[in-house]
Amino acid sequence: MKETAIVYCEGKFGTMDGKTANGLIRSSRNYEIVGVIDSTKVGMDTGYYLEEKNNGIPFFSDLDSAFEYLPKMPSQFIYGIAPSEGLLKNDERNIVLQAIENGLNIINPLHEFFTDDKEFMKNSLKYGVKITDVRKPAEKKDMHLFSGRILNIDTPIVAVLGTDSAVGKRTTSVLLEEALIDMGLNVAFVATGQTGLIQGAKYGVAIDAIPSQFMTGEIEHQIMRAYENEKPDIIIVEGQGALSHPAYISSCGIIRGSRPGSVIVQHPPKRKNLGDFEYMKMPTIESEIELIEGFSEAKVIAITINHENMSDNEIQDTITEYEQKLSLPTTDVLKFGCDKLITTLIEKYPELKNKKIEAFVN
């Protein structure tokens, strides 16, 4: 059974900074989410707010109101905000302490490690709770350098990259994984960020917490683990940030470590400036594709759209424009599903069609 969890996302649910909470509402293999703390949206349904589909998961103004409303105390408290600095704000310490004092285990996705905090650890011992720092890397002696082993596998590796942070790379990756599994394929998904790991990805590493010398090796290691343990028909690798983004090097490490044969690019057409860096303009989809293909030696095989601030007509017009101008299949997976992506993958990797037939027969 899944552990029950309440997610803290005060004032940020549905925004870029709320991407961890957003992702958990969309999909969570590890946890049953029973509520989200965001006092600005009390009275609304989290699923409807996010995607206009009710899911029965409510918003609460604070922990006290959640405890009063819920029939049973949740076992986990998940900090669901992903600020660019990755640090806990001073006024948020009290709610973490309150959760600990009420016996909730703490899931922390920040760069600031709660297990290094004397007050948090003292209270966790007092109240018998566990604190998990999702981004806390292994000791350097246990990390991996790039070995080249990945060069010897023939399983298709597809990376889902993007033109900015928080554009839906993980969401597209997860939905594509689910669609391929529904076809009967054996799929391995490799997460590269804290949200994917919290959601329950079996393989992965929070790449932005790894020293640069070990980035490629850690990604390669996770892919090799998935390859050796699962013998998958296809491997999907989640991207982070953007290759063109001046503040992040994670996409570079992911491309070098995963050696993808194909790339899907996620893009928000109406976003004018980089999410956390509003003084910088967004790259064009054309420039990002050119950069990715030059850097990775892999071809971009499809484009997926983040429809923020777009009407349905604008989405359809953009899909038509990209397909005509760039000759690449384009879709919005939240609106239209993954059919175009699957068709494209089977055209690129015909062996997947045979795997699908084998799965159906067996």
Side-chain angles (χ1 to χ4, degrees):
M1 291 181 62
K2 294 181 179 179
E3 299 281 358
T4 55
I6 190 157
V7 181
Y8 174 82
C9 196
E10 178 58 31
K12 300 296 184 181
F13 188 82
T15 70
M16 282 185 60
D17 282 356
K19 65 180 183 180
T20 297
N22 304 340
L24 288 166
I25 288 300
R26 287 192 173 105
S27 174
S28 179
R29 296 169 183 169
N30 281 352
Y31 305 105
E32 176 190 351
I33 309 302
V34 297
V36 172
I37 296 174
D38 185 342
S39 64
T40 66
K41 301 172 183 67
V42 171
M44 304 178 72
D45 180 275
T46 58
Y48 190 84
Y49 185 88
L50 200 60
E51 296 175 345
E52 297 187 351
K53 297 177 184 177
N54 287 332
N55 61 13
I57 302 173
F59 289 104
F60 297 106
S61 59
D62 52 30
L63 270 178
D64 286 333
S65 62
F67 294 157
E68 183 178 350
Y69 174 86
L70 294 171
K72 185 179 179 181
M73 185 79 73
S75 64
Q76 315 288 322
F77 173 93
I78 302 174
Y79 184 91
I81 303 175
S84 58
E85 69 276 9
L87 302 176
L88 186 72
K89 294 178 175 61
N90 290 332
D91 60 356
E92 294 172 336
R93 289 187 63 84
N94 287 337
I95 193 167
V96 175
L97 288 169
Q98 183 186 4
I100 292 172
E101 290 167 4
N102 280 274
L104 276 67
N105 297 309
I106 307 298
I107 310 298
N108 168 38
L110 296 172
H111 282 298
E112 177 181 358
F113 303 139
F114 291 179
T115 51
D116 293 338
D117 186 297
K118 292 181 180 180
E119 185 178 20
F120 286 163
M121 289 307 294
K122 177 182 177 181
N123 280 274
S124 71
L125 291 172
K126 179 179 179 181
Y127 294 100
V129 305
K130 180 181 179 182
I131 296 176
T132 301
D133 289 320
V134 178
R135 267 181 164 137
K136 196 166 192 176
E139 296 291 331
K140 289 185 178 65
K141 64 181 178 61
D142 297 320
M143 290 184 184
H144 302 82
L145 294 170
F146 186 78
S147 69
R149 290 188 301 151
I150 197 169
L151 303 176
N152 298 319
I153 71 173
D154 56 7
T155 300
I157 299 174
V158 180
V160 181
L161 306 180
T163 54
D164 192 10
S165 59
V167 293
K169 298 180 288 290
R170 184 194 66 257
T171 298
T172 292
S173 299
V174 170
L175 290 176
L176 180 57
E177 176 198 18
E178 292 173 353
L180 290 168
I181 289 172
D182 287 344
M183 287 174 51
L185 295 179
N186 183 14
V187 186
F189 169 57
V190 178
T192 56
Q194 70 278 9
T195 304
L197 294 173
I198 295 172
Q199 284 178 308
K202 190 173 180 180
Y203 302 96
V205 61
I207 191 68
D208 62 359
I210 303 296
S212 60
Q213 183 177 4
F214 297 98
M215 273 188 174
T216 56
E218 285 295 289
I219 291 293
E220 179 193 42
H221 175 66
Q222 291 300 324
I223 290 174
M224 294 308 299
R225 284 184 62 230
Y227 173 73
E228 291 165 355
N229 293 343
E230 309 297 334
K231 297 179 174 54
D233 301 319
I234 186 171
I235 299 170
I236 299 171
V237 182
E238 173 196 14
Q240 294 294 322
L243 188 59
S244 63
H245 203 302
Y248 303 123
I249 63 170
S250 46
S251 283
C252 174
I254 290 167
I255 290 170
R256 289 299 196 209
S258 68
R259 308 289 296 190
S262 300
V263 174
I264 296 167
V265 179
Q266 179 96 5
H267 179 60
K270 293 294 286 289
R271 192 179 293 186
K272 302 300 182 185
N273 300 300
L274 295 175
D276 289 318
F277 302 84
E278 295 185 356
Y279 50 86
M280 299 199 71
K281 290 184 178 180
M282 282 284 296
T284 64
I285 185 66
E286 294 89 344
S287 66
E288 196 71 29
I289 289 172
E290 182 179 2
L291 183 63
I292 289 169
E293 291 187 341
F295 184 82
S296 68
E297 300 179 357
K299 286 292 184 182
V300 172
I301 60 170
I303 300 168
T304 48
I305 288 175
N306 176 320
H307 59 242
E308 62 184 40
N309 302 318
M310 297 179 74
S311 67
D312 287 345
N313 286 338
E314 287 175 322
I315 295 169
Q316 193 57 62
D317 288 346
T318 301
I319 288 173
T320 301
E321 176 192 351
Y322 285 177
E323 291 190 333
Q324 291 178 349
K325 184 167 64 174
L326 301 172
S327 299
L328 287 171
T330 303
T331 192
D332 178 336
V333 296
L334 287 175
K335 292 280 187 178
F336 307 118
C338 294
D339 288 352
K340 278 188 182 180
L341 300 183
I342 290 172
T343 298
T344 303
L345 286 171
I346 289 176
E347 289 175 356
K348 174 69 176 177
Y349 305 105
E351 64 269 27
L352 293 178
K353 186 174 183 179
N354 297 330
K355 297 285 187 180
K356 176 185 174 184
I357 292 171
E358 289 173 10
F360 180 77
V361 171
N362 294 332

